[in-house]
Amino acid sequence: MRSKIVLASLPFVSLASFAAENQDPTDLFSLSFEQLLSLEVDIAARKSESWLTASGTVYVIDHEEIKRYGWRDMKEILAAIPNMDMFYQWSWLPGGQRGFTGNMAATLLLVDGRQVQNLLANEAFIMNNFPAHRIERVEILQGPNSTLYGGNAAQGVINIVTRLPQLKSPVEDGPAEQIAEIGGLVGEVGTWQGNMLLSGGEGLWRYGISGSWFQSDLDYDELKSFVFDDDRFSRNPTLDRVRDHDPNRFRNDEQNITLDARLAYDQYYLGVDLTRTENVSGIERVAVDFITGDDSKRGFSLVYAGRHFQPSEYLTGFAEVSYFNEYKEKLRQKVSGLANANSYDDLFVFSEREDIGPSERYRFRTQFQYQSDPSADWIVGYDYWHTDIGSKIAYVDIGTGIEKRIPSSWPVDKEKSDKHALYAQYAKRWSLEDGATFNLTAGLRYNQQDYTDSAWLPRISLVYGPDDRSAWKLTYGEAFRPPTIFEFDGVEDTELDSQTVQMWELNHSRAWHWQHLKFTNVTALYQMKVENFYRKVFDTQTGRWLTEVEGEQEVHGIENLLRLQNERWQGFWGLRYVSPDESQVGDEMAVLDIPRSKIKLGISYEFNEHWQLSAFIDHWAKTYTQANSLSGTSQIIETIPAWTTVNLNLNSINWQLGGGQRLDIGFYVENLLDKTYYHSNPRGSSPFQFIQAPRNVRVQFSLNF
């Protein structure tokens, strides 16, 4: 029988899953203090280790916590992490970790430990394509770890563990846990979702399949008003004078389909992850008419097969091959006659289609773990992957027909690339006097790939545990982000240096109890330095674009994560303070796009075995961001005011129906006080901010057979 995964921490504590055969997964308050101390995490070192002695700062959010708090998808789950910065622009989710922002290219996104970063821009592409029903838990590693995970793990790693059978070792003979579930939700602005999950097995067989369909218009009245506000939204005099302000033509709909499937027999396994998305690209780059964004279709498919090995009780490993395919289609509006137009009706508007891909990645990876003695082990691995990125193709209306073009700036010679990596990690534990312990984890990776420099990437963590309830951790890590094909687009550079990250982190973790109260607390103090930012500049002498690799930025910060349990109560409190370098805009200097402080507070109360009420308070400090001036002739710094929102979830669980089914129903209210608030745009100056969701209500349900 597969063990249930129970998270004793709330989303902000370095705790991981706890396997307890007889533990009721809905009774999160029944963990003893000893069980609380023994919880394990494996994302930091690719092996199970106690949360107290884990080599780094990791946050884990469990499926039962997600159900308790009513979070619908990854966007809402990640918003619970106080040192994740996200900027929802009504399509995908730009952002970053620990004071860095951008397109999520420096955060590595994994599904069941397999990379699903998009191939075009190396982005962790999170939309409405990760619904909560498919998630067993989410593990978030703070800070760089390219030693184990390679490129793009520069700011951290997000691993989504699905609810399908996990295949970390050969299948144990016997019956598997049987899961049969359907669910869905209905919300405002035409929002609805349906999902299903089947999982089980017998003997040496295991299987699982889950799927979902999401659809929403995303056309709140407040969003329409914002898009048509020239002062708050556009600030582009050339285009503002010919804008069409008809709100009836506003369109922002999105559809998402997901499918996960897995089959295993003994030590062999086969699986697939699939996502298909159609949307209009949000409000970051609204088309020329400023009514609708680009029509976009994109998706990925990941197919993998592998085998586990266990030559002896001291040596285990796996070998796996995978194929990753993605594509992107975009239909966007173009205009001619802009210079002489006085209104939108004077423009000639036509559509242009742009395709990139399909792009492909073939990958082979293998890893072995050898336990040389009960207190020491080695991890050794090898990665190889070949990537073939499809050309950017534009279908242009030339009057006499549609012409297919590959833009002359597109770097066709950079479409194919190969990468190789070897890595090793050694871990050793010493027992000291009076029950104290000392742990060492040290790793090194050699990474080689086309069109950029090779890299040696070390990571080392020292952990001192004065007792079995607390630990001091000192971690140093390095990481890199290689250039993407877009950073070669339009330039002559044959090779670019990778962006690099260095981090020092001091972490203090502690658990204690007082009467019926149980506490865990994690404090992390860190310094991160990034070098080699990519910036495109136009060379007026040659008339060509060049990519400059220059500059550095340092961020210092502290995060504190506290949780508690007390009979029917459960709560958490997370905060962060960051101090990044300032940027210059005109004559002004400011920290841009980052709220220096953030606070997340949650509290949950069980009225009885069926009813739970949870409330959450989010607070962001004021933020400065770069914007166009109202005249459009210069760049200025605008202030995005501080904001505080309250969300509420009323959960009715474990209702037994006549046929033995179990029904859960949740009523979720987002932005309870109907606060108007904004996120900055870290990727541009027009629009310089994105309005967020007004008060809205949704109803969600889950039926287990």
Side-chain angles (χ1 to χ4, degrees):
M1 176 179 178
R2 191 184 69 173
S3 300
K4 279 290 187 177
I5 302 297
V6 179
L7 178 72
S9 75
L10 287 200
F12 313 116
V13 188
S14 291
L15 302 180
S17 57
F18 173 66
E21 290 287 344
N22 300 315
Q23 179 73 35
D24 182 350
T26 63
D27 189 0
L28 300 180
F29 301 109
S30 64
L31 288 176
S32 70
F33 191 68
E34 290 72 23
Q35 290 172 327
L36 190 71
L37 291 172
S38 67
L39 297 170
E40 294 187 339
V41 63
D42 58 21
I43 190 176
R46 272 192 171 170
K47 65 173 186 174
S48 294
E49 54 187 345
S50 166
W51 72 274
L52 276 173
T53 57
S55 55
T57 300
V58 181
Y59 311 128
V60 181
I61 303 176
D62 176 83
H63 180 70
E64 297 303 329
E65 293 291 317
I66 296 170
K67 285 176 57 178
R68 171 185 292 273
Y69 295 132
W71 294 325
R72 192 197 70 79
D73 64 359
M74 277 293 293
K75 298 193 305 301
E76 295 183 6
I77 294 170
L78 292 178
I81 306 300
N83 227 340
M84 292 285 304
D85 288 299
M86 296 167 296
F87 309 90
Y88 188 43
Q89 42 91 345
W90 301 94
S91 176
W92 62 289
L93 203 65
Q97 293 173 264
R98 285 190 163 178
F100 295 97
T101 62
N103 62 348
M104 282 280 197
T107 294
L108 184 65
L109 181 63
L110 310 172
V111 174
D112 290 326
R114 298 172 184 90
Q115 183 174 335
V116 293
Q117 212 89 350
N118 77 42
L119 302 178
L120 299 173
N122 285 336
E123 298 157 326
F125 209 84
I126 299 172
M127 305 178 66
N128 293 292
N129 55 342
F130 292 103
H133 93 279
R134 68 188 286 204
I135 299 173
E136 179 65 39
R137 67 183 184 274
V138 179
E139 304 173 338
I140 301 101
L141 172 67
Q142 295 288 81
N145 194 342
S146 282
T147 303
L148 292 180
Y149 293 101
N152 303 103
Q155 297 170 11
V157 181
I158 299 172
N159 183 32
I160 301 171
V161 180
T162 68
R163 297 177 66 196
L164 302 186
Q166 297 304 304
L167 307 172
K168 295 184 178 180
S169 60
V171 173
E172 295 183 4
D173 195 2
E177 179 188 11
Q178 304 293 317
I179 301 176
E181 176 183 302
I182 61 172
L185 65 83
V186 178
E188 298 182 34
V189 292
T191 302
W192 68 274
Q193 176 183 300
N195 52 261
M196 56 78 65
L197 173 69
L198 294 172
S199 180
E202 188 67 39
L204 295 178
W205 287 96
R206 296 292 183 268
Y207 66 86
I209 182 170
S210 72
S212 69
W213 172 281
F214 172 85
Q215 178 173 303
S216 181
D217 297 335
L218 298 177
D219 62 348
Y220 295 101
D221 290 338
E222 292 83 353
L223 185 59
K224 294 179 184 179
S225 299
F226 171 72
V227 169
F228 300 137
D229 188 322
D230 295 341
D231 294 344
R232 291 186 300 160
F233 180 77
S234 174
R235 295 189 176 182
N236 187 324
T238 302
L239 298 179
D240 289 347
R241 62 186 175 85
V242 294
R243 296 179 67 189
D244 185 349
H245 289 73
D246 182 0
N248 295 320
R249 293 172 35 177
F250 179 78
R251 184 169 56 90
N252 194 40
D253 53 290
E254 180 178 328
Q255 294 181 353
N256 272 282
I257 301 173
T258 71
L259 176 68
D260 300 322
R262 188 168 299 154
L263 180 66
Y265 176 76
D266 195 13
Q267 69 267 46
Y268 299 94
Y269 59 89
L270 174 69
V272 61
D273 294 323
L274 179 147
T275 291
R276 294 289 183 267
T277 296
E278 294 186 21
N279 76 318
V280 290
S281 300
I283 62 174
E284 181 182 25
R285 296 200 171 110
V286 174
V288 175
D289 65 358
F290 283 81
I291 306 300
T292 62
D294 303 330
D295 283 298
S296 179
K297 296 181 180 180
R298 64 176 70 228
F300 72 78
S301 303
L302 172 63
V303 181
Y304 55 90
R307 178 183 175 178
H308 293 285
F309 300 95
Q310 192 167 0
S312 73
E313 62 178 315
Y314 306 107
L315 181 64
T316 59
F318 71 88
E320 180 178 291
V321 293
S322 62
Y323 171 74
F324 184 83
N325 174 283
E326 73 175 9
Y327 71 95
K328 179 181 179 182
E329 299 177 6
K330 182 182 290 186
L331 187 66
R332 57 181 163 200
Q333 282 189 313
K334 307 281 285 186
V335 299
S336 60
L338 182 62
N340 299 318
N342 295 312
S343 69
Y344 181 73
D345 293 334
D346 296 332
L347 297 172
F348 175 69
V349 182
F350 61 96
S351 294
E352 178 182 287
R353 176 180 160 191
E354 178 186 276
D355 296 353
I356 305 180
S359 302
E360 302 173 315
R361 180 185 66 221
Y362 300 89
R363 186 171 187 176
F364 169 78
R365 63 190 183 115
T366 184
Q367 177 179 296
F368 284 86
Q369 181 175 357
Y370 174 66
Q371 188 171 17
S372 55
D373 63 62
S375 62
D377 67 75
W378 284 90
I379 290 177
V380 179
Y382 169 73
D383 272 354
Y384 164 74
W385 54 109
H386 171 79
T387 302
D388 187 354
I389 295 176
S391 296
K392 178 191 287 187
I393 300 175
Y395 297 86
V396 183
D397 187 347
I398 59 174
T400 58
I402 303 298
E403 182 176 277
K404 177 180 176 181
R405 298 175 181 172
I406 297 178
S408 59
S409 64
W410 185 252
V412 176
D413 59 324
K414 304 295 192 301
E415 290 180 351
K416 293 181 172 60
S417 64
D418 292 275
K419 305 177 185 179
H420 300 266
L422 283 168
Y423 61 91
Q425 176 182 271
Y426 175 70
K428 176 70 174 178
R429 176 185 177 92
W430 291 272
S431 296
L432 308 178
E433 296 180 356
D434 302 323
T437 58
F438 182 77
N439 290 11
L440 165 68
T441 303
L444 182 66
R445 182 187 191 98
Y446 174 71
N447 204 91
Q448 184 276 326
Q449 64 189 72
D450 298 328
Y451 317 127
T452 189
D453 49 319
S454 300
W456 291 90
L457 302 159
R459 189 175 188 269
I460 184 169
S461 182
L462 305 174
V463 181
Y464 170 67
D467 53 50
D468 63 353
R469 300 185 180 189
S470 62
W472 290 90
K473 313 176 189 182
L474 181 63
T475 302
Y476 173 78
E478 294 185 9
F480 77 109
R481 182 181 81 77
T484 70
I485 195 168
F486 286 115
E487 278 139 359
F488 285 107
D489 187 9
V491 305
E492 291 186 321
D493 310 67
T494 59
E495 184 172 295
L496 298 175
D497 291 339
S498 294
Q499 188 179 99
T500 61
V501 181
Q502 296 178 331
M503 179 197 74
W504 286 96
E505 177 185 275
L506 178 63
N507 178 302
H508 180 244
S509 301
R510 186 186 178 197
W512 74 98
H513 70 89
W514 178 73
Q515 296 184 358
H516 296 295
L517 282 170
K518 303 171 190 175
F519 298 91
T520 60
N521 191 76
V522 174
T523 302
L525 182 68
Y526 60 90
Q527 181 265 342
M528 294 174 62
K529 181 171 72 173
V530 178
E531 296 180 306
N532 298 340
F533 286 95
Y534 300 116
R535 185 169 69 95
K536 283 192 175 183
V537 295
F538 187 74
D539 188 330
T540 55
Q541 293 183 347
T542 63
R544 299 179 184 275
W545 285 95
L546 303 174
T547 295
E548 290 186 352
V549 184
E550 61 179 11
E552 66 178 48
Q553 181 177 2
E554 287 195 22
V555 172
H556 302 80
I558 185 171
E559 56 195 62
N560 190 84
L561 313 166
L562 172 71
R563 53 81 61 186
L564 65 88
Q565 295 179 4
N566 180 28
E567 296 178 347
R568 296 183 180 274
W569 291 93
Q570 182 164 311
F572 62 83
W573 177 64
L575 64 86
R576 78 98 185 268
Y577 179 82
V578 296
S579 180
D581 292 339
E582 294 183 336
S583 299
Q584 183 168 351
V585 179
D587 297 328
E588 297 183 80
M589 297 287 293
V591 172
L592 299 181
D593 302 313
I594 298 294
R596 287 183 178 266
S597 62
K598 290 175 59 179
I599 297 174
K600 179 81 174 188
L601 176 66
I603 193 73
S604 178
Y605 179 73
E606 289 185 342
F607 294 99
N608 53 45
E609 62 178 328
H610 294 301
W611 291 95
Q612 303 169 351
L613 181 66
S614 302
F616 318 96
I617 299 175
D618 291 82
H619 175 78
W620 286 34
K622 67 180 178 182
T623 308
Y624 300 102
T625 190
Q626 187 173 352
N628 291 332
S629 63
L630 285 172
S631 65
T633 58
S634 62
Q635 299 284 298
I636 61 174
I637 293 177
E638 285 280 2
T639 301
I640 297 179
W643 56 263
T644 302
T645 60
V646 179
N647 297 342
L648 200 67
N649 181 53
L650 180 61
N651 214 10
S652 176
I653 65 172
N654 292 330
W655 291 99
Q656 299 296 325
L657 305 182
Q661 300 86 2
R662 190 179 76 245
L663 177 65
D664 299 343
I665 300 178
F667 304 87
Y668 196 95
V669 184
E670 181 182 10
N671 197 353
L672 179 67
L673 304 180
D674 204 19
K675 171 72 174 179
T676 300
Y677 68 105
Y678 304 89
H679 286 170
S680 66
N681 179 2
R683 289 161 38 89
S685 57
S686 181
F688 66 88
Q689 61 183 352
F690 305 126
I691 192 170
Q692 298 304 292
R695 179 171 55 223
N696 63 96
V697 180
R698 66 171 182 255
V699 180
Q700 47 204 37
F701 78 93
S702 174
L703 182 63
N704 290 270
F705 295 88

